[in-house]
Amino acid sequence: MELRAQIRSVAHYVPERRVTNDDLSQLMDTSDAWITERTGIKERRFVDTTCAGTSELGERAARLALAQAGWNAQDVDLIVMATLSPDLYFPGVGVMLQQKLGCRTIPALDIRAQCSGLVYGLSVVDGYIKSRQAKKVLLVCAEVQSPVLDLTTRGRDMAVLFGDGAGAMTIEAVEGDGSHRGILDSFLGSDGSGAEVLCMKLPGTATPGFISADDIQQSRVHPSMDGKLVFKNAVTRLLETAGTLLKRNNLTPEQIDLIIPHQANLRINEMVRTQLGLPPEKVFNNIQKYGNTTAATIPICMSEAVAEGRLKRGDLVLTLAFGAGFTWGGNLIRW
Ligand code: COA
């Protein structure tokens, strides 16, 4: 009998504090025109000082997803968490969710695949379900990135791009329901030669002394990126991922009802869309409102796409992501 990992619910939570491009231009030498033209972003959400960390946002999204699925925390038998911004250096955020949500003493693991967190996460969940190690899985993707951004002119190339937010999904093992709904295929990749092209080096064990006052003084504690190189690699790998998943499932781009790409730059997504020969309505974008929320991006998109009626039961969905590592990948899902 056919065993499938079916998505029961998806929900999101974003902090209330809106930070517009004009707000950022009060802090650094930038402008709404520059940010809009280069990235498509108009505003993003930042947590305020009362936020207790990524697990807080993850918990809020998780509670919404659980309620939507009609599950209680005791039903969950695996937590998969994706984030690049954990509450603590260790342990991971998964165990914090286990405790905050009041789950049983189930396995809880963290995935570190940055902007590819959701696509890696769905692939991992699919594997656990198909190998019969889990039946009811909570996948949470959450990021609190604003506190580590350099919100001065020195850090403007990174600071204008990122935001905070969380998305969560419940995914269930379903056997032979005849619907063919669920995760149909996943494709993942990595290339560690790009590790330092987009990274945050400190604090880190590769640095003697781990972190010093001088590192903080010299602003070596913020993320950094070669934007142009990331941009080129992103377009190539997103197209490679789409091509691979379409080919091995005998599909043409037109047969996909909705592509949900990672939201790093609207121009990246427009290039991918035109290369695939698809009209704008076949690709979901919300970068204008949230910037890049890293692992949380795709589940936030999914949650909004469902709410807006753009993602319906039975639709064929393709997720596409590229991020630091480099990591990339996608999932083909019958919704
Ligand atoms: N506001 C105003 N000017 C800025 C700026 C900002 N926020 N950030 C950079 N600039 C300046 C640069 O200093 C540069 O000035 P110069 O020409 O005097 O040297 C100029 O704008 C052009 O910068 P450049 O880096 O050429 O811009 P770009 O067109 O490559 O766009 C990114 C920059 C970051 C938007 C783009 O490269 C990008 O989106 N890259 C991929 C990002 C990504 O995918 N990241 C996450 C992966 S998941």
Side-chain angles (χ1 to χ4, degrees):
M1 261 215 267
E2 192 180 50
L3 179 61
R4 284 264 161 85
Q6 274 185 14
I7 294 163
R8 278 275 156 273
S9 65
V10 58
H12 74 280
Y13 172 80
V14 288
E16 278 173 25
R17 189 176 151 213
R18 282 171 206 271
V19 178
T20 63
N21 294 343
D22 287 334
D23 293 334
L24 290 181
S25 67
Q26 306 295 312
L27 304 172
M28 63 188 82
D29 181 10
T30 191
S31 65
D32 176 50
W34 192 96
I35 302 169
T36 306
E37 187 189 314
R38 303 283 172 128
T39 71
I41 301 166
K42 297 300 285 182
E43 61 181 39
R44 72 288 293 139
R45 304 295 181 97
F46 281 2
V47 293
D48 61 31
T49 49
T50 63
C51 176
T54 296
S55 64
E56 181 183 313
L57 268 54
E59 180 191 357
R60 284 174 183 266
R63 286 193 185 280
L64 294 171
L66 289 171
Q68 250 186 56
W71 295 5
N72 66 54
Q74 297 281 310
D75 294 329
V76 176
D77 58 13
L78 170 69
I79 295 171
V80 178
M81 171 72 203
T83 188
L84 65 57
S85 49
D87 293 26
L88 306 178
Y89 191 81
F90 75 85
V93 176
V95 295
M96 290 168 185
L97 291 174
Q98 181 275 333
Q99 188 265 327
K100 286 188 180 207
L101 294 168
C103 295
R104 291 174 287 126
T105 53
I106 52 170
L109 60 91
D110 279 41
I111 292 181
R112 298 197 55 188
Q114 297 63 248
C115 298
S116 310
L118 180 278
V119 299
Y120 268 65
L122 280 181
S123 173
V124 167
V125 171
D126 196 33
Y128 268 87
I129 284 180
K130 293 216 170 107
S131 61
R132 300 183 186 275
Q133 295 184 75
K135 284 185 177 160
K136 289 193 169 185
V137 185
L138 179 63
L139 172 61
V140 183
C141 303
E143 305 285 3
V144 172
Q145 309 187 98
S146 54
V148 300
L149 296 172
D150 178 0
L151 295 170
T152 70
T153 299
R154 183 175 53 188
R156 66 183 179 175
D157 59 329
M158 291 294 277
V160 301
L161 302 177
F162 295 92
D164 304 331
M169 308 174 81
T170 59
I171 304 154
E172 187 167 24
V174 174
E175 198 141 18
D177 73 343
S179 71
H180 305 296
R181 291 175 54 234
I183 301 168
L184 306 181
D185 197 4
S186 297
F187 171 76
L188 306 178
S190 74
D191 177 4
S193 71
E196 296 200 5
V197 175
L198 170 52
C199 70
M200 187 169 132
K201 285 190 183 166
L202 291 168
T205 53
T207 302
F210 198 57
I211 191 163
S212 68
D214 187 52
D215 291 325
I216 296 170
Q217 195 76 31
Q218 297 301 318
S219 186
R220 288 192 286 263
V221 289
H222 303 291
S224 62
M225 168 176 74
D226 176 342
K228 283 194 196 314
L229 196 53
V230 173
F231 194 108
K232 272 190 224 151
N233 275 275
V235 174
T236 306
R237 295 305 187 181
L238 293 173
L239 284 168
E240 175 193 312
T241 302
T244 304
L245 284 170
L246 290 171
K247 189 167 176 210
R248 73 184 186 199
N249 290 279
N250 294 318
L251 293 165
T252 62
E254 296 71 34
Q255 287 174 288
I256 302 293
D257 294 298
L258 191 64
I259 293 188
I260 303 192
H262 177 59
Q263 308 282 306
N265 188 314
L266 198 55
R267 288 187 295 143
I268 294 178
N269 293 352
E270 278 298 284
M271 280 187 183
V272 171
R273 179 182 73 74
T274 18
Q275 286 281 321
L276 292 173
L278 292 173
E281 61 272 18
K282 285 248 180 165
V283 179
F284 191 89
N285 288 304
N286 63 9
I287 190 170
Q288 300 87 342
K289 295 190 288 181
Y290 306 122
N292 182 350
T293 57
T294 302
T297 299
I298 295 181
I300 293 176
C301 286
M302 285 173 165
S303 172
E304 291 201 331
V306 170
E308 291 171 21
R310 289 184 62 188
L311 182 49
K312 301 174 291 300
R313 202 182 170 98
D315 280 354
L316 196 53
V317 185
L318 179 64
T319 63
L320 295 173
F322 178 86
F326 298 133
T327 56
W328 61 89
N331 320 99
L332 187 65
I333 304 162
R334 178 68 69 186
W335 195 259

